[in-house]
Amino acid sequence: MRRRQNKNEYEADKYRIRNPDSENSKLEVWSDKRVLCLCLAFRMVNSLLIQTYFNPDEHWQGPEVAHRIAFGYGHLTWEWKHGIRSYLHPILFVPLYKLLAFLRLDNPCLMMKAPRLLQSVFSGIGDLYLYKLSAVLFGHYVAKWALFSQLTNWFMFYCFSRTLSNSLETVLTVVSLYYWPCMRSSNKCSFVSRKWGLVVAALACAIRPTSAITWLFIGLLELLKTRDRLKFLFYEVAPIGILVVGLTCLLDHFMYGKWILVPLNFLKFNFLSSGGDYYGTHKWHWYFTQGFTVMIFSHLPFCIAGIIYSKQWKFAGLIAWVLGFYSILGHKEFRFVLPVLPIALMFSGYSLAVIEDPGSPVYRGKQYSEKNTKCSPKMTFAILYLLVTNIPMALYMSLVHQRGPEDVMNHLAGEAQHGKVKSVLFLTPCHATPYYSMLHHNLPMQFLDCTPSEEKGVPDESDHFMVDPVPFVSEYAKKWSPPSHIVLFDSEEQKLRNSLISFGYREERRFFNAHFKVDRDLQASIVVYVLVK
């Protein structure tokens, strides 16, 4: 006699396309160890293929700060002087730098690659937990396709292995989601697991205070679903939150040399004073019409179909909440909403599983064994479509677009090793290249300042240069000690060539940068000028 399902079992199974873990299933279930090895290998290769410049924070707010701690020299941007950054993220790279120095492997190549390789380890763990989360929700068959969607997405390939705090925040978000009972189809998550989820979520918020936007939604959802709300708030949330905030404050006190509450300073600057607007603004609908749409790209129809078909509205609500909240802020960037991208890609995997699985309503009436003999035309088309639309873009963005800043720093680092570089002046937009973390030589360098003014609308030094380079450099040259090397983009170099020659400089190297413009005029190449002796 067939046993009747209880309510919890039904809730857990009704979202599954088919239970791939049943005794009659012919599906091979991958072990966590196997998935982790696959993800680590993929992300390490991924990190080695990244040779382009995406966002200044990748270098200036992580490895550059860690380089200063480890080697005693490196530049701290204005954010560190105002106490709106925590040392929790850059401190992760310090042991790596110390190890390279101890083994005498701190050459320019490894100094550039090692931080990304470390991040690739974290990213591989994030991929594993997306697989585990998908397996808990939908079964291992869907989990495989969710992992496929994650690994083939061009933006995850382009961004996930970079040393941005957003990348680590994304890893911690996915790991924490795995432990939250309210995000599962059934209550099979123990309170101990929820506490682990709280710890990881607190770390995400400590590294990126804006991560609280994500956890406010999930925390409220958990509060509504849990039976003992007071216990949840006062015996779990409060102690774990206080512990993580306290330890982070101790670290920042030690590094800053004074007591400082970074989340409060971060909140004041970015939310209460709209300080982030200094770096540009977009219209409220940018994430919905351009930002997140570009990140998902060809996975978008699969993501939408997966959410609708699975009816996992709490995840859809989380994505909409995060996009909606960030839409209120004037300053918008792709990387801000990176933590919810894996969630969307999980539903892309669900759609792929629906297309392929003969046990789903799409293939009702067919036998499960037929799947193993022939891949359906729809599935073949879907796989080829995702590969063809994502792989070329991933490789182009990682290997070609805006590679000039990293190439020029590699060149300068090699020249510095042979004693050919005495000092460097960057006549570029502020933070347009990596700095000491890639050069790894303690020699004088200078760039145009872009510290936000307390008065809105007041242009900084970098703005003055970009508006009219010739008079700016003429005035700047009156008080400089001539650097041995000057770095600038060709868009300004065309205007300054005669002036630089008159100052005794000649072109040394020119590096390709980009085929199309991004925020400013086309910066097709980046040029190095050297002082003629």
Side-chain angles (χ1 to χ4, degrees), residues 124-137:
I125 295 172
D127 293 331
L128 168 66
Y129 271 86
L130 180 69
Y131 177 88
K132 294 177 68 172
L133 177 63
S134 304
V136 165
L137 291 172

Side-chain angles (χ1 to χ4, degrees), residues 97-225:
Y97 281 152
K98 289 287 190 181
L99 178 62
L100 290 176
F102 177 76
L103 298 175
R104 297 184 179 181
L105 295 174
D106 54 328
N107 56 70
C109 181
L110 280 178
M111 290 299 292
M112 180 188 72
K113 297 295 184 183
R116 285 176 178 163
L117 280 169
L118 178 60
Q119 174 57 39
S120 72
V121 175
F122 299 141
S123 300
I125 295 172
D127 293 331
L128 168 66
Y129 271 86
L130 180 69
Y131 177 88
K132 294 177 68 172
L133 177 63
S134 304
V136 165
L137 291 172
F138 308 119
H140 286 271
Y141 182 60
V142 175
K144 289 185 178 183
W145 288 113
L147 184 61
F148 172 82
S149 295
Q150 170 97 333
L151 298 183
T152 57
N153 178 258
W154 80 271
F155 194 82
M156 293 301 291
F157 189 93
Y158 177 59
C159 188
F160 203 27
S161 293
R162 294 182 183 271
T163 53
L164 291 159
S165 60
N166 308 87
S167 300
L168 186 56
E169 176 197 7
T170 302
V171 173
L172 295 174
T173 299
V174 175
V175 172
S176 185
L177 281 172
Y178 173 75
Y179 292 107
W180 279 88
C182 68
M183 303 307 289
R184 298 190 177 208
S185 302
S186 61
N187 296 322
K188 295 181 179 180
C189 189
S190 68
F191 288 105
V192 174
S193 297
R194 187 171 67 185
K195 289 174 183 176
W196 275 115
L198 278 166
V199 170
V200 179
L203 288 173
C205 294
I207 289 172
R208 290 282 303 177
T210 50
S211 192
I213 296 169
T214 300
W215 298 110
L216 178 62
F217 179 91
I218 297 172
L220 289 174
L221 192 62
E222 182 68 25
L223 189 64
L224 291 173
K225 291 192 68 175

